Amino acid sequence: MPGETANPASVDRIYDAVRELAASYAIKPDERINEGSLAKSLGASRTPVREALNRLVAEDLLVFHPGKGFFCRALDPQQIFDLYELRVIIEEAAVTLACERAEDSDIEALRLDLMTNGLDYEGKSVKELVAYDEHFHQTLVSLSGNGELVKRLRNINARIRFVRWFDMEQRISVTRGEHRELMDQLAKRDAAACRNILRGHIEKRLDQIIAFARAGYSALYLPDSQGPLTGSPLIASSGR
Amino acid sequence: MPGETANPASVDRIYDAVRELAASYAIKPDERINEGSLAKSLGASRTPVREALNRLVAEDLLVFHPGKGFFCRALDPQQIFDLYELRVIIEEAAVTLACERAEDSDIEALRLDLMTNGLDYEGKSVKELVAYDEHFHQTLVSLSGNGELVKRLRNINARIRFVRWFDMEQRISVTRGEHRELMDQLAKRDAAACRNILRGHIEKRLDQIIAFARAGYSALYLPDSQGPLTGSPLIASSGR
DNA sequence: ACATACAGTCCTGTATACAGATAAATATGC
DNA sequence: GCATATTTATCTGTATACAGGACTGTATGT
């Protein structure tokens, strides 16, 4: 890619960039965002930056304290639990609807995608694995035909992505098998079986995930190249 | 509170005001929002107005077309259907969790609230009835203990409020009875019964609601004091 | 008469400037 | 030496200014 020259049509670009920073916790929990530095580092002025920040506040990826400015969302175990619970609710409902409505061809396309891109995890980074996992579940939910479910899951995924990076390291092979079985049952239109697989698939991880969220603050503050966050662009390098 | 005189700490105030306008379709579907007029009518400048508008875009109450500006969301039957479907999903899941987790005292408090404020619908406007209905369902979902479910429902309610104004006119008494029965079953912790009541409660209305959404554009454009939108402050009065 | 080109106007998108507030750092008194 | 008061600097919140593009209406040509 030879481009991204500088600024054109900047607000969406800024939005994407900051969303990435917030999702990956490259901006640390509860860290204040310096609008000036951020604007300079993105090659724009504060005005469009603030517009993007406001959108992210509405998505709960950032929080806003009047008079203080914008902050990264906290790493709140209760909230992470709530999000996982919501994720189960949405995916169970979506797969049930998919059993009723999805076209055979769409189901087959997802299975093929899984076989092609979802099974060989050798040589891939954790980030890439999580990215595929998100893609798989996102496509699965889209088979429900309900665009709102898709949007909700997209928001959830952005907000728990960081946790899943740590979770994924231990459960790759399990994930793989469960995805395959899910597709088998979906092809048979067995909604109850699909729901059971999904619930187990997600909920089995909850305990360790919550434990991580409680204890795992520290991992966020290790130097660099600790954990799966290798090469994340850091933000606040303002020499102050 | 003796005030809110004019402008202080304006962004939240603007956000609330525009959210109200968008939810009630005082800004018509697909209508462009003139930032200058809106800013003037709210006694602020364009900058904070745009910040509020961006938040509402992230909540899908408005849409943004680059180079064109901000528009009210369209009245899309498919999307309304999706939102009702999502609402059923969330409320069913929430009531199931509430059966497991809610305190007896909280359930009793909601029942009392229903008996006190939710039963006498004489002399109340449709808007007030819908407002209480929203409040009831919102509190019900909060009994699940999952804050994300509450937030999601809040967004859904804002986006389908307008449709419910029309729906409510025909179904007040039914609503009343179903709410009571729901509270009875919730007190008995009968999750399956609660789910059935809720699903029926919401889904029974879908057909007429979709029909309205398809045909009902016209109702939005009637003079004033037609339908339940009496006295809504209109927006684009820019003498151009 | 209809379509197309043109010009003027309005509005958006972004940068910048300024005022108020917050937090930090220094100095002062006990 | 520690706590408190005061000053200083930085940053947020908002208004305003300006440039580029979109739309409306008119005029011209076929």
Side-chain angles (χ1 to χ4, degrees), chain A residues 185-218:
Chain A
Q185 297 301 329
L186 181 57
K188 292 185 203 159
R189 311 278 175 167
D190 187 339
C194 287
R195 294 181 76 116
N196 284 333
I197 294 169
L198 264 178
R199 181 167 33 232
H201 182 60
I202 300 173
E203 282 187 352
K204 261 192 296 189
R205 314 181 168 200
L206 253 185
D207 289 343
Q208 49 189 292
I209 284 165
I210 298 303
F212 159 76
R214 286 225 173 76
Y217 284 81
S218 53

Side-chain angles (χ1 to χ4, degrees), chain B:
Chain B
M1 59 185 79
E4 258 13 281
T5 44
N7 70 341
S10 55
V11 63
D12 282 354
R13 183 179 57 86
I14 294 169
Y15 168 81
D16 289 338
V18 182
R19 187 182 153 98
E20 186 62 32
L21 293 177
S24 66
Y25 275 126
I27 309 171
K28 304 277 183 290
D30 286 317
E31 178 181 347
R32 207 192 76 229
I33 294 175
N34 186 321
E35 302 168 8
S37 326
L38 183 58
K40 204 176 63 176
S41 81
L42 291 172
S45 94
R46 278 179 55 216
T47 308
V49 169
R50 281 181 66 97
E51 302 206 351
L53 294 177
N54 272 293
R55 288 196 207 176
L56 293 165
V57 167
E59 295 180 40
D60 287 311
L61 275 136
L62 302 177
V63 294
F64 175 70
H65 295 287
K68 308 285 188 64
F70 295 88
F71 296 76
C72 189
R73 70 198 184 285
L75 187 53
D76 175 12
Q78 176 65 46
Q79 191 172 62
I80 290 168
F81 178 86
D82 287 353
L83 286 169
Y84 266 85
E85 196 164 74
L86 176 60
R87 189 182 154 211
V88 175
I89 291 166
I90 285 181
E91 294 209 28
E92 274 194 63
V95 81
T96 304
L97 293 172
C99 283
E100 301 167 9
R101 296 177 184 162
E103 302 287 337
D104 284 326
S105 58
D106 290 331
I107 294 176
E108 192 48 37
L110 179 55
R111 162 185 256 139
L112 190 66
D113 183 85
L114 178 65
M115 297 302 175
T116 310
N117 309 312
L119 296 186
D120 59 327
Y121 53 90
E122 301 289 342
K124 287 189 179 169
S125 71
V126 173
K127 277 191 178 184
E128 289 170 319
L129 292 171
V130 170
Y132 182 81
D133 194 65
E134 280 189 28
H135 161 74
F136 176 81
H137 285 271
Q138 203 82 47
T139 308
L140 180 69
V141 168
S142 77
L143 295 181
S144 71
N146 187 320
E148 291 299 318
L149 294 177
V150 176
K151 270 188 271 185
R152 280 356 195 253
L153 184 63
R154 190 180 117 87
N155 174 261
I156 294 167
N157 277 335
R159 291 167 67 192
I160 64 176
R161 183 174 303 153
F162 178 78
V163 179
R164 294 175 79 191
W165 283 340
F166 287 85
D167 183 46
M168 179 63 81
E169 287 179 321
Q170 305 154 18
R171 304 187 62 83
I172 298 169
S173 54
V174 180
T175 290
R176 186 182 69 164
E178 285 171 346
H179 282 177
R180 276 178 77 164
E181 197 183 334
L182 180 69
M183 291 311 299
D184 288 343
Q185 298 301 328
L186 180 58
K188 292 185 202 158
R189 310 278 174 168
D190 187 338
C194 286
R195 295 181 75 115
N196 284 334
I197 294 169
L198 263 178
R199 181 167 33 233
H201 183 59
I202 301 173
E203 281 187 352
K204 260 191 299 188
R205 314 180 169 201
L206 254 185
D207 289 344
Q208 49 188 291
I209 285 164
I210 298 303
F212 159 74
R214 285 223 173 76
Y217 284 82
S218 53
L220 283 169
Y221 298 101
L222 292 176
D224 206 21
S225 74
Q226 267 289 18
L229 287 76
T230 48
S232 308
L234 252 294
I235 172 178
S237 58
S238 66
R240 153 157 157 52

Side-chain angles (χ1 to χ4, degrees), chain A:
Chain A
M1 62 181 80
E4 265 359 293
T5 45
N7 70 342
S10 56
V11 62
D12 283 353
R13 184 179 55 86
I14 293 169
Y15 168 81
D16 289 337
V18 182
R19 188 182 152 97
E20 186 62 30
L21 293 177
S24 66
Y25 275 127
I27 309 172
K28 304 276 183 290
D30 286 319
E31 179 182 346
R32 206 191 79 229
I33 294 175
N34 186 321
E35 302 169 8
S37 327
L38 183 58
K40 204 175 63 178
S41 82
L42 292 172
S45 93
R46 279 179 54 215
T47 309
V49 169
R50 281 182 66 97
E51 301 205 350
L53 293 176
N54 272 292
R55 289 197 209 173
L56 293 165
V57 167
E59 295 181 40
D60 287 310
L61 275 137
L62 302 177
V63 293
F64 174 71
H65 295 286
K68 307 285 187 66
F70 295 88
F71 296 76
C72 188
R73 70 199 184 285
L75 187 54
D76 175 12
Q78 176 64 46
Q79 192 172 59
I80 290 168
F81 178 86
D82 287 353
L83 285 169
Y84 267 85
E85 195 164 75
L86 177 59
R87 189 182 153 211
V88 176
I89 291 166
I90 286 180
E91 294 209 27
E92 276 194 62
V95 80
T96 303
L97 293 172
C99 283
E100 301 168 9
R101 296 176 185 163
E103 302 286 338
D104 285 325
S105 57
D106 290 330
I107 294 176
E108 192 48 37
L110 179 55
R111 161 184 257 137
L112 190 67
D113 183 85
L114 178 65
M115 298 302 175
T116 310
N117 308 313
L119 296 187
D120 59 328
Y121 54 89
E122 300 291 340
K124 287 189 180 170
S125 72
V126 174
K127 278 191 177 182
E128 289 170 318
L129 292 171
V130 170
Y132 182 80
D133 194 65
E134 279 189 28
H135 161 75
F136 175 81
H137 285 271
Q138 204 82 47
T139 309
L140 180 70
V141 169
S142 77
L143 295 180
S144 72
N146 187 321
E148 292 299 320
L149 294 177
V150 176
K151 271 188 271 186
R152 276 3 191 247
L153 184 63
R154 191 179 117 86
N155 175 260
I156 294 168
N157 277 334
R159 291 168 68 191
I160 64 177
R161 183 175 302 153
F162 177 78
V163 179
R164 294 175 79 191
W165 283 342
F166 286 85
D167 182 46
M168 179 64 79
E169 288 180 321
Q170 305 153 17
R171 305 187 60 84
I172 299 168
S173 53
V174 180
T175 291
R176 186 182 69 166
E178 285 170 346
H179 282 175
R180 276 177 78 165
E181 197 183 333
L182 181 68
M183 290 312 297
D184 288 343
Q185 297 301 329
L186 181 57
K188 292 185 203 159
R189 311 278 175 167
D190 187 339
C194 287
R195 294 181 76 116
N196 284 333
I197 294 169
L198 264 178
R199 181 167 33 232
H201 182 60
I202 300 173
E203 282 187 352
K204 261 192 296 189
R205 314 181 168 200
L206 253 185
D207 289 343
Q208 49 189 292
I209 284 165
I210 298 303
F212 159 76
R214 286 225 173 76
Y217 284 81
S218 53
L220 282 170
Y221 297 102
L222 292 177
D224 207 22
S225 72
Q226 268 288 21
L229 288 76
T230 49
S232 307
L234 253 294
I235 172 175
S237 57
S238 66
R240 133 168 170 53

